[in-house]
Amino acid sequence: AQSVTQLGSHVSVSEGALVLLRCNYSSSVPPYLFWYVQYPNQGLQLLLKYTSAATLVKGINGFEAEFKKSETSFHLTKPSAHMSDAAEYFCAVSGFGNEKLTFGTGTRLTIIP
Amino acid sequence: NAGVTQTPKFQVLKTGQSMTLQCAQDMNHNSMYWYRQDPGMGLRLIYYSASEGTTDKGEVPNGYNVSRLNKREFSLRLESAAPSQTSVYFCASSEVLSGINQPQHFGDGTRLSIL
């Protein structure tokens, strides 16, 4: 069984400030972890993925995430927020030998000018 | 460069009507999925297909049926639509390479309203 918890359904940050979106997972097998972004009225786009290689994963648009097994976390960060980062972000987990994804409930990011 | 294509993009139905949502992918992926997205609930898996000719229930399969017509196409059918099925529906596809789960690729969604 696997699950994902995203803390904070809404996060607001000022333009230029640090973005931190939290994701904690549980998985009975080694996990694969993903962050997706959804812009209004669009589908989901992959930001980055963890597949058991490096624990610090760099993605598109300046985002990165660090896999911390001891904390069962995979938080998403960006050093400096841009107005174009306003969107909804989803963390998702799948397990070794099982392609099915389990999604978190999402975090809506608002950027304050 | 199409990826995953869903049709239609929007649809309004009356309670009790039936309809089929279409999905096609051109990436030669083995696995395909149908999700529904509702506010505050993330994406929930309705059905998935690990390969042509096989389908399995996901988290919320009641009221839906699916068909994996061939490797490219995976359709979702609502036999008797209910207002609770008002949602945004996403199709996705993926593959496993060298034993590693690759990211799922998503279509742009079908926005379905049931009156």
Side-chain angles (χ1 to χ4, degrees):
Chain A
Q2 54 201 28
S3 65
V4 169
T5 301
Q6 290 186 244
L7 294 176
S9 58
H10 292 86
V11 171
S12 296
V13 301
S14 298
E15 190 175 14
L18 171 72
V19 174
L20 171 61
L21 304 182
R22 299 178 186 275
C23 172
N24 289 88
Y25 71 92
S26 69
S27 178
S28 55
V29 296
Y32 298 109
L33 293 158
F34 306 87
W35 275 100
Y36 285 88
V37 60
Q38 184 181 35
Y39 299 102
N41 299 315
Q42 294 186 25
L44 277 70
Q45 301 175 31
L46 180 71
L47 272 180
L48 50 79
K49 62 181 181 180
Y50 167 77
T51 57
S52 77
T55 55
L56 182 62
V57 180
K58 294 187 183 300
I60 62 171
N61 301 338
F63 284 93
E64 63 181 35
E66 186 172 7
F67 174 71
K68 292 187 177 180
K69 185 177 179 180
S70 61
E71 299 177 7
T72 61
S73 68
F74 191 58
H75 302 331
L76 182 70
T77 60
K78 182 174 180 177
S80 177
H82 192 274
M83 295 300 295
S84 61
D85 295 328
E88 189 155 21
Y89 293 78
F90 293 93
C91 183
V93 62
S94 65
F96 181 78
N98 184 352
E99 289 181 84
K100 288 189 291 182
L101 278 177
T102 300
F103 283 87
T105 52
T107 298
R108 184 166 300 278
L109 177 65
T110 300
I111 310 299
I112 304 167
Chain B
N1 200 28
V4 179
T5 303
Q6 292 184 235
T7 55
K9 295 188 184 304
F10 302 93
Q11 186 70 47
V12 179
L13 293 178
K14 295 181 179 179
T15 298
Q17 287 185 316
S18 62
M19 97 162 278
T20 300
L21 280 60
Q22 306 287 352
C23 175
Q25 53 94 7
D26 62 2
M27 295 170 284
N28 202 37
H29 288 168
N30 283 320
S31 300
M32 297 186 73
Y33 312 83
W34 276 106
Y35 295 91
R36 60 178 290 172
Q37 182 180 23
D38 302 292
M41 303 189 74
L43 276 77
R44 293 180 293 167
L45 184 65
I46 304 172
Y47 271 95
Y48 72 101
S49 171
S51 62
E52 183 179 350
T54 67
T55 61
D56 285 289
K57 295 178 180 179
E59 180 184 355
V60 288
N62 292 344
Y64 305 95
N65 287 300
V66 291
S67 296
R68 183 75 181 266
L69 305 171
N70 47 55
K71 192 170 186 179
R72 289 188 65 248
E73 298 172 290
F74 189 39
S75 62
L76 178 72
R77 183 161 177 84
L78 287 71
E79 291 290 353
S80 179
S84 61
Q85 295 178 306
T86 293
S87 188
V88 182
Y89 291 85
F90 287 100
C91 179
S93 69
S94 69
E95 62 181 344
V96 176
L97 290 178
S98 301
I100 297 174
N101 295 355
Q102 299 304 304
Q104 292 185 12
H105 295 254
F106 286 81
D108 288 336
T110 295
R111 285 149 184 83
L112 183 62
S113 292
I114 307 193
L115 307 177

